[in-house]
Amino acid sequence: TQLLEQSPQFLSIQEGENLTVYCNSSSVFSSLQWYRQEPGEGPVLLVTVVTGGEVKKLKRLTFQFGDARKDSSLHITAAQPGDTGLYLCAGVGGSNYKLTFGKGTLLTVNP
Amino acid sequence: DTGVSQNPRHKITKRGQNVTFRCDPISEHNRLYWYRQTLGQGPEFLTYFQNEAQLEKSRLLSDRFSAERPKGSFSTLEIQRTEQGDSAMYLCASSPGLAGGLAGELFFGEGSRLTVL
């Protein structure tokens, strides 16, 4: 069973601060995705990383895939209240079609 | 709106009753998934269809759960003799598969929240 550990589980910060959340596993993934989920809604895809060491930027969000493709990080610069939500990482492993999700990091950005 | 559609959005039922959820995927997507999510947890994989074929079913699914995808279009998830432990958000997602996009890229519906009293 491929497990993804996300940390921290909860994070509450003030508007304008920077933050990093982590997604770690002992397994290698062929690709890894980050989603954001708001209360009562389904997750929405933010980014997919495929190559070890890959860095992708989405406005104030920077995603990195570890060299060994076992871990990833999400860095948010100058967080805004609209960034509030549950951030989930999900890995595609042995079976190409199946995503395994972590438990998520619940981010609250206070105005 | 051409996204993934799920209904009902909310269902409250008494223990022992049967419930059915429906998912209409994005029309050109041949892959369809069901996940279950409880409070404070990430989505847990339940089952996967490629077109009309159910290719994998999680050990999380007891015999009370059944899913179908007739004609490879919409899908239904039925839970028989519901138990309080079945209370969760049931999420459906679709994917274009390898030909149309990166492997495993999922587009989720808004979910169907089940409460079993």
Side-chain angles (χ1 to χ4, degrees):
Chain A
T1 303
Q2 296 177 309
L3 296 176
L4 283 164
E5 300 287 338
Q6 290 192 245
S7 61
Q9 188 175 356
F10 302 98
L11 186 58
S12 180
I13 62 170
Q14 294 300 120
E15 183 175 1
E17 293 184 3
N18 302 333
L19 67 112
T20 302
V21 298
Y22 300 93
C23 174
N24 295 293
S25 175
S26 58
S27 302
V28 175
F29 292 96
S30 58
S31 65
L32 197 140
Q33 302 172 18
W34 285 91
Y35 292 80
R36 186 173 77 194
Q37 185 177 24
E38 298 188 15
E41 304 292 331
V44 176
L45 181 68
L46 296 173
V47 77
T48 301
V49 286
V50 179
T51 306
E54 182 176 7
V55 177
K56 282 192 173 179
K57 292 190 175 182
L58 185 67
K59 297 184 180 178
R60 294 175 295 99
L61 278 61
T62 301
F63 304 85
Q64 185 163 7
F65 200 14
D67 291 340
R69 290 185 289 131
K70 293 183 178 180
D71 56 88
S72 181
S73 63
L74 160 59
H75 182 78
I76 302 179
T77 303
Q80 299 177 0
D83 295 328
T84 293
L86 179 66
Y87 288 81
L88 295 159
C89 67
V92 179
S95 55
N96 197 34
Y97 54 77
K98 182 176 172 180
L99 258 71
T100 300
F101 282 84
K103 292 186 177 182
T105 292
L106 185 60
L107 172 65
T108 302
V109 182
N110 302 297
Chain B
D1 186 353
T2 58
V4 177
S5 176
Q6 291 188 246
N7 65 80
R9 291 291 309 277
H10 303 275
K11 178 72 176 178
I12 300 174
T13 191
K14 292 183 179 179
R15 188 177 55 185
Q17 298 295 305
N18 300 340
V19 296
T20 299
F21 301 116
R22 176 178 170 127
C23 171
D24 288 274
I26 295 171
S27 58
E28 61 267 28
H29 289 180
N30 61 355
R31 299 181 175 190
L32 187 145
Y33 303 75
W34 286 97
Y35 281 82
R36 179 171 66 191
Q37 186 177 27
T38 53
L39 195 63
Q41 303 293 319
E44 294 176 300
F45 173 84
L46 293 180
T47 192
Y48 162 72
F49 290 86
Q50 186 159 331
N51 298 310
E52 67 275 10
Q54 187 175 19
L55 297 187
E56 185 171 343
K57 184 175 176 180
S58 168
R59 289 174 296 170
L60 291 174
L61 283 189
S62 73
D63 291 342
R64 298 184 296 105
F65 288 72
S66 62
E68 296 182 341
R69 193 183 182 196
K71 303 179 182 178
S73 56
F74 71 92
S75 176
T76 58
L77 176 68
E78 181 183 15
I79 309 173
Q80 296 181 326
R81 304 181 303 280
T82 52
E83 302 173 355
Q84 288 184 326
D86 297 332
S87 295
M89 174 79 89
Y90 290 86
L91 293 164
C92 175
S94 68
S95 171
L98 290 175
L102 294 173
E105 186 169 350
L106 301 187
F107 297 83
F108 282 89
E110 294 179 314
S112 293
R113 180 165 296 283
L114 173 65
T115 302
V116 181
L117 302 176

